[in-house]
Amino acid sequence: MKLLLTGGTGFIGSHTAVVLSQAGHELVLLDNFSNSKQAVLGRLETILGHALPFVQADVRDTAKVTQALQTHGIQAVVHFAGLKAVGESVAQPLNYFANNLQGTLSLLQAMQAAQVHQLVFSSSATVYGEPQYLPLDEQHPTSATNPYGRTKLHIEEMLHDLSASNPAWRIACLRYFNPVGAHDSGLIGEDPNGIPNNLMPFVVQVAAGIRPALQVFGNDYDTPDGTGVRDYIHVMDLAQGHLAALHFLNAQTGWHAINLGTGQGYSVLEMVKAFEAASGKPVAFNIVPRRPGDVASCYAKVDKAQALLNWQASRGLPQMCEDAWRAQQRNMPSTT
Ligand code: NAD
Ligand code: UDP
């Protein structure tokens, strides 16, 4: 199929581009580089052996997105583009509403104008709010605890209404748990600007000597070792989930919400130990108070993805850590 990937040079978009291209799809990437670098395109070319067509644009530029869809004869869109930092969203909600909500609305208008009705959307486990039971299945009530989460929830609801308005739409909202790791070449990976908000990139930077110590946010949770438990999923497994979702949508109309996780939770201290083993480097840490808004545990029930997509994650924690470390070692964050 001919596919447009918005946010295609970002962390998850670039890894998904590798998987989709290697599966034989024809891709066009679109990004405004607000949180990624042009150098990713060269790295994708090295991995794939050929360049991918690229459009530098903001998804809010409806005319330019429409033109990209029409010029390239696009049949389906995978929509990664958006802002994703929870703390920043609390400080700058309008920026999040503009990028994520307005951006998605613009994309949908462009898709409607170009008669493209197949969409895979990057949603998040954040739409479940505070877990009322575990593991989280897709029937769990949804809610938002911060502006970022609210944008994901609103977008899911917009997409639901849209699919009800016209049976031509085929929409999958993929609710990601905690993507980590990198492509095994080490050429692409997670490249956060400034101080990482998320655990894994922070741990990587401590092991690499870039930061002195990890702050572990609380060790008094109701979990086996007191630290927070999350469902970490290798980004290449997540990427393969998109391939499976596109295949699923070729045979299914309507709106579908599907968890992409492993179903297995690991604590912060288990992550630190696994990373030390993979990298051979010590990861110093201090226990500090809980981070506001964090929950004790969050992990997925993955039966729906297995049943509908015939997909499940296959890469374990050691590989997540080894691949993240290799990307660091290959100096992935540089723009060279
Ligand atoms: P990322 O920041 O690495 O990638 C997002 C890409 O979108 C970046 O390249 C950025 O430049 C681009 N972008 C942002 N706003 C844009 C706009 N208005 N127009 C065009 N391009 C724009 O983030 P990621 O980790 O790859 O996340 C991809 C998607 O997955 C996001 O929607 C995010 O909310 C969602 N998600 C991520 C995680 C995670 O932990 N990484 C978890 C759940 C959901
Ligand atoms: N965490 C931590 N120190 C950090 C970053 C995260 O202890 O510097 C913990 C956090 O409290 C949570 C887990 O690591 O228990 C995963 O946090 P992350 O921000 O990566 O993902 P999310 O909270 O979005 O699930």
Side-chain angles (χ1 to χ4, degrees), residues 1 17 58-59 65 75 80 90-91 103 105-106 127 172 189 205 212 238 311 329:
M1 289 180 89
D58 193 298
V59 279
V65 177
Q75 296 162 292
F80 301 98
V90 174
L105 186 56
S106 164
V127 300
Q205 294 193 4
L238 194 74
W311 166 92
Q329 293 299 287

Side-chain angles (χ1 to χ4, degrees), residues 106-123:
S106 164
L107 170 68
L108 294 171
Q109 287 168 331
M111 288 176 70
Q112 186 152 281
Q115 295 286 300
V116 179
H117 293 111
Q118 189 163 330
L119 176 70
V120 175
F121 170 61
S122 295
S123 190

